[in-house]
């Protein structure tokens, strides 16, 4: 996977370098139409190589796309956060239920559980033990 990513970046760099070499002429980018320039207080324009304008347009498009997707997926992130909170609450409840139900319910069951945990006594000389082990 790393080799594929590296290959992709090498191809992308080569294409961008060819694009930059082919578009070295200076261009003027106006931010306002000529008719509105006197009302805005002068010419709002930049002169730069054409490849810089292209690269800036690409970066601007990527940023707009990222913001657009981030806003579009806001409800998905909120739902995920809510479900994570609900899952954590349910896991706490299950843990509490396990601790509650693992405890003995009454004295008789506690005695039986305690005797089941103790190792069985060694058999007597007659070979019979009472009570019979469970």
């Amino acid at each position: 996977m790393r080799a594929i990513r590296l290959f992709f970046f090498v191809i992308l760099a080569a294409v961008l370098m060819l694009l930059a070499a082919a578009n070295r002429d200076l261009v003027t980018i106006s931010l306002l139409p000529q008719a509105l320039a006197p009302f805005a207080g002068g010419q709002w324009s930049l002169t730069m190589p054409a490849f810089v304008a292209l690269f800036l347009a690409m970066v601007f498009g990527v940023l707009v796309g990222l913001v657009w997707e981030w806003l579009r997926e806001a409800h998905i992130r909120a739902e995920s956060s809510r479900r994570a909170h609900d899952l954590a609450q349910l896991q706490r409840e299950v843990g509490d239920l396990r601790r509650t139900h693992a405890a003995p319910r009454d004295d008789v069951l506690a005695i039986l559980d305690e005797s089941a945990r103790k190792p069985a006594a060694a058999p007597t000389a007659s070979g019979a033990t009472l009570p019979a082990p469970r």
Side-chain angles (χ1 to χ4, degrees):
M1 185 67 179
R2 191 174 198 176
I4 294 172
R5 187 180 311 156
L6 182 63
F7 178 73
F8 175 74
F9 283 129
V10 168
I11 296 297
L12 181 64
V15 168
L16 290 177
M17 284 191 295
L18 288 173
L19 184 69
N23 294 291
R24 291 180 296 164
D25 297 336
L26 292 178
V27 295
T28 301
I29 306 293
S30 297
L31 300 177
L32 292 175
Q34 292 292 335
L36 294 179
F39 299 114
Q43 290 287 351
W44 288 27
S45 62
L46 298 170
T47 302
M48 64 184 80
F51 72 91
V52 173
L54 288 171
F55 290 167
L56 288 176
M58 284 188 259
V59 169
F60 179 73
V62 167
L63 290 177
V64 167
L66 287 172
V67 170
W68 184 275
E69 282 300 305
W70 184 77
L71 292 173
R72 188 182 68 83
E73 295 170 351
H75 70 281
I76 296 171
R77 287 190 306 278
E79 178 73 15
S80 175
S81 175
R82 186 186 62 77
R83 286 186 181 199
H85 181 266
D86 291 346
L87 177 63
Q89 181 180 358
L90 289 173
Q91 287 174 338
R92 283 192 303 271
E93 288 178 13
V94 167
D96 291 342
L97 288 173
R98 284 185 179 153
R99 281 189 296 279
T100 303
H101 288 293
R105 287 173 282 215
D106 61 11
D107 294 337
V108 174
L109 291 175
I111 293 169
L112 289 174
D113 286 340
E114 186 176 311
S115 65
R117 289 188 196 127
K118 291 182 182 177
T124 58
S126 65
T129 60
L130 289 178
R134 295 187 347 169

